[in-house]
């Protein structure tokens, strides 16, 4: 936020709420324990002259010592494929939950996008890009 996005092979960007002064996404405990979890938006960009298919995956890792398990929402996939036409972009979301979050608990959400097909033809060594989103749990 507040700076130019990276250029080159980068094709996935954070696209959710503004981060706090410590560069963390603040998420309320009630959002994390909701049966539907909390969606976090990312932007997938295809600046190429041909269509690309990307596999988006995510994982969340606690950064505090004694954290309850963070999980993707069981009804939301932790991996999915997204096809983008040439020179297009799409906002996607990844979903997270926490069974018993505590205020000020922290974690890092890692979202990875990997090119798995170009112009409909599968590729085995497609480019991959990852973003890391620091999270802080706040009061309900």
């Amino acid at each position: 936020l507040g700076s130019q996005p990276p250029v080159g092979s980068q094709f996935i960007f954070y696209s959710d709420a503004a981060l706090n002064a410590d560069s963390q996404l603040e998420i309320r405990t009630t959002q994390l324990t909701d049966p539907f979890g909390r969606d976090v938006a990312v932007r997938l960009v295809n600046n190429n002259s041909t269509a690309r298919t990307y596999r988006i995956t995510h994982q969340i890792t606690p950064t505090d010592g004694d954290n309850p398990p963070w999980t993707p929402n069981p009804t939301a996939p932790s991996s999915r494929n997204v096809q983008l036409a040439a020179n297009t972009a799409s906002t996607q979301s990844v979903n997270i939950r926490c069974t018993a979050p505590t205020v000020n608990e922290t974690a890092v959400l890692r979202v990875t996008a990997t090119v798995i097909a170009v112009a409909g033809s599968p590729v085995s060594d497609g480019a991959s890009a990852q973003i890391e989103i620091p999270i802080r749990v706040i009061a309900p």
Side-chain angles (χ1 to χ4, degrees):
L1 295 175
S3 63
Q4 293 297 316
V7 294
S9 64
Q10 186 73 21
F11 42 81
I12 188 166
F13 304 91
Y14 175 75
S15 184
D16 208 283
L19 303 177
N20 68 15
D22 294 323
S23 298
Q24 298 166 320
L25 172 61
E26 294 181 340
I27 302 178
R28 298 189 179 285
T29 57
T30 52
Q31 292 174 308
L32 289 169
T33 57
D34 184 280
F36 296 105
R38 164 64 155 85
D39 286 338
V40 176
V42 296
R43 186 97 172 136
L44 194 57
V45 179
N46 178 9
N47 286 327
N48 298 285
S49 59
T50 56
R52 299 277 193 269
T53 303
Y54 301 89
R55 175 164 293 127
I56 298 175
T57 60
H58 70 282
Q59 68 179 36
I60 191 155
T61 306
T63 53
D64 295 339
D66 297 321
N67 287 339
W70 289 77
T71 61
N73 183 334
T75 62
S78 60
S79 174
R80 69 180 175 288
N81 297 341
V82 176
Q83 185 173 353
L84 291 181
N87 299 307
T88 60
S90 174
T91 299
Q92 301 290 314
S93 63
V94 296
N95 188 276
I96 58 173
R97 290 190 339 168
C98 187
T99 55
T102 57
V103 173
N104 290 324
E105 182 176 342
T106 59
V108 174
L109 172 63
R110 288 175 185 81
V111 184
T112 304
T114 303
V115 177
I116 61 168
V118 175
S121 297
V123 295
S124 60
D125 59 349
S128 186
Q130 183 179 84
I131 56 174
E132 293 186 353
I133 305 158
I135 293 171
R136 176 169 296 282
V137 177
I138 61 173

